[in-house]
Each structure stands twice: as C-alpha cells, then as structure tokens.
Amino acid sequence: EIVMTQSPATLSLSPGEGATLSCRASRGVANNLAWYQRKPGQAPRLLVYGGSTRAAGIPARFSGTRSGAEFTLTISSLQSEDSAVYYCQQYNTWPAFTFGPGTKVDI
Amino acid sequence: EVQLVESGGGLVQPGRSLTLSCAASGFTFEGYAMHWVRQAPGKGLEWVSGISRNSVNFGYVDSVKGRFTISKDNAKNSLYLHMGNLRPEDTALYYCARENYYGSLDVWGQGTTVTVSS
C-alpha cells in the first residue's frame, strides 16, 4: 500500500496571503496525484489532477506542481472561502487509491 | 446535470449487514469506473472500494476485504456497496464518486451516513 503524507497539518493565514501545502508518497506515483478541497457539510471537490492540471471551474489561484517525489498545492491570494481541509490522493495503483491525512487551512 | 445520490445508510448493530446505493444521472454511467470513499467522525477521507466501468476489475481497502462487496448495474445507472459483518469502526459518511478519464474522482455525491452501534 502506498502511504501518503501531508504537511503541515494546519495552516493559519490571513486573506490575501499565499498557502503552500505539501504531499509526498511512500513510493513513486508518477503524476497520478490529485488534490481535493473538503468544506464542512459539503462533498469533496476535485481541484487538481495529474499533479498539475486544474479541474474544470477551479480558479487560477489554485496550482499544483511536482518536484521529484514531492507534490505541492499552492493557493495564491487566499480568500475566506478557501478555509477547508485539503487532501492529496494517489491513483497510480488502480483501484487501490489512497488519500493523505489532510491539511486544514484556516483563513 | 451530472449527479450522484447515495442512499441506504442508517443505524445498524455490529455484525449485521447493510447495502448502500448510489443513483447516477446526467452522464453515461456505463462509461465510468466508480468508487466508494468514506470519512469516519473526526478522521480524513479513506478510499473503500472501486470498480471498473464494465465490472471486470475491482478492489477494496484491506480493512473491508471479505466483508464488503461492490457492484455496478449499468442498466439501472446504479452503484452498490454491500457491507457485511459490520464493525463500529465502519461508522462513517459514505460517498460514491465517479472516476474521470484521468483516474481522479471528479463527481461526488453528498454521502450517506452509516452508524454501527449496539
């Protein structure tokens, strides 16, 4: 089983600041990595897939990158509605997907 | 409108069974692989099970292997999760989700809650 780790566990930031969320897999997942946003009372929302491709309708302030084994979700110019828990997920080992533990972003 | 609607959750005693359903609409259901994902109280997201678009391939997280069975009825545009020998640790909000062409989960239902307790 591929284990996903995320850091930090919590981020507390102010509106207009930028956020950098990290995700690492216990072994290679190629670019088969997605990011999701989960707000209380709502279903998870796909933000990024393929490590760096924004999903349909996702604002440009959300961007995903990969450097070696580490994946990063960057949220530029944070807005209050960006308060949520963000999860990374690998889908390299179909169908045995695994999620990271999440990063909580407080604005 | 693309939509997934889960049903079938509820309160069940340990050791009993429950079957969740997910009704799909607004897209060609037979063309997509589907998954179940859960979130226990105070915990993160956990992938539970997935099935290929033609039901040939499927898989489960280790903790439910031998107890849960996923199935897909393309004629009824429905996904199912039969959960047997339920344990308190299976208590969670269960989501069904559609896998897009790239492998990620692009459409989610609102979830159905399963509580396993005596």
Side-chain angles (χ1 to χ4, degrees):
Chain A
E1 177 188 337
I2 296 178
V3 177
M4 309 300 293
T5 56
Q6 290 186 244
S7 61
T10 304
L11 271 177
S12 294
L13 297 165
S14 299
E17 290 189 308
T20 301
L21 288 65
S22 296
C23 172
R24 184 179 289 267
S26 60
R27 61 177 193 264
V29 297
N31 286 320
N32 297 316
L33 190 287
W35 290 93
Y36 300 85
Q37 178 191 63
R38 174 78 157 77
K39 296 181 180 180
Q42 296 185 19
R45 176 191 183 195
L46 175 65
L47 299 175
V48 169
Y49 61 90
S52 60
T53 302
R54 267 191 306 277
I58 301 303
R61 65 178 185 276
F62 292 91
S63 62
T65 57
R66 174 192 176 190
S67 177
E70 184 160 352
F71 295 84
T72 300
L73 177 71
T74 301
I75 313 172
S76 62
S77 190
L78 283 160
Q79 302 182 10
S80 58
E81 62 262 32
D82 297 333
S83 288
V85 179
Y86 292 83
Y87 295 92
C88 64
Q89 175 231 347
Q90 69 81 20
Y91 48 92
N92 195 55
T93 52
W94 199 96
F97 298 172
T98 47
F99 288 88
T103 292
K104 183 178 181 181
V105 175
D106 286 323
I107 311 298
Chain B
E1 179 190 3
V2 174
Q3 194 172 16
L4 296 172
V5 179
E6 302 93 337
S7 60
L11 174 63
V12 61
Q13 293 179 327
R16 305 296 291 264
S17 299
L18 199 63
T19 297
L20 306 183
S21 300
C22 172
S25 59
F27 65 98
T28 306
F29 184 68
E30 64 184 4
Y32 290 86
M34 299 293 295
H35 297 261
W36 289 98
V37 176
R38 68 185 178 184
Q39 184 164 27
K43 304 286 188 179
L45 297 174
E46 179 183 40
W47 174 83
V48 176
S49 182
I51 189 167
S52 63
R53 54 187 178 179
N54 56 7
S55 301
V56 169
N57 298 298
F58 48 87
Y60 304 92
V61 67
D62 285 348
S63 61
V64 309
K65 282 180 181 176
R67 301 189 299 121
F68 288 14
T69 302
I70 190 171
S71 60
K72 187 174 185 278
D73 188 334
N74 289 334
K76 295 184 177 180
N77 289 340
S78 292
L79 177 73
Y80 304 98
L81 185 68
H82 176 73
M83 304 183 294
N85 190 19
L86 282 160
R87 304 168 180 169
E89 55 264 36
D90 295 318
T91 294
L93 177 61
Y94 284 75
Y95 293 101
C96 71
R98 184 182 82 170
E99 179 186 323
N100 68 11
Y101 175 79
Y102 305 96
S104 52
L105 304 176
D106 67 339
V107 178
W108 296 67
Q110 286 301 308
T112 187
T113 300
V114 174
T115 304
V116 184
S117 174
S118 55

